[in-house]
Amino acid sequence: TRLAQAISKVVLGARLRIEEGTVTQARIALGSVAATPVRCAQVEEALEGRPVDPEAARVMADDISPIDDIRSTAGYRTQVAANVLRAWLETLRRTD
């Protein structure tokens, strides 16, 4: 029996291709926010063809369907997923 567990509440995997300051390709995926890992097509669409914009994270809720469980609520997971993505995008914008 395990004495402790390390179970993620939100997992983000992302990659952007940026050419001359414009996102030409975005691939965003999240785990622990749906029954299986999901691609975030709405977020990808919000990013592509534009400069890096952390506010693209605002459409995150359209791509995910988290549940309430013993580890956290659906609302918490939705907010954290958007916050993690926004923070990552902000670091990219600063290095651009």
Side-chain angles (χ1 to χ4, degrees), residues 50-77:
R50 300 171 181 83
V52 173
D53 181 8
E55 289 308 307
R58 72 188 177 285
V59 299
M60 178 70 67
D62 296 335
D63 285 321
I64 62 177
S65 54
I67 61 168
D68 291 320
D69 67 13
I70 196 166
R71 293 180 289 143
S72 63
T73 65
Y76 177 81
R77 285 187 171 107

Side-chain angles (χ1 to χ4, degrees), residues 13-75:
R15 181 190 71 171
L16 297 183
R17 178 171 288 143
I18 302 169
E19 296 175 8
E20 297 180 16
T22 300
V23 177
T24 58
Q25 185 181 57
R27 296 295 179 262
I28 311 291
L30 288 166
S32 300
V33 295
T36 61
V38 293
R39 283 268 305 273
C40 299
Q42 299 295 321
V43 176
E44 292 172 357
E45 185 178 321
L47 287 166
E48 290 178 351
R50 300 171 181 83
V52 173
D53 181 8
E55 289 308 307
R58 72 188 177 285
V59 299
M60 178 70 67
D62 296 335
D63 285 321
I64 62 177
S65 54
I67 61 168
D68 291 320
D69 67 13
I70 196 166
R71 293 180 289 143
S72 63
T73 65

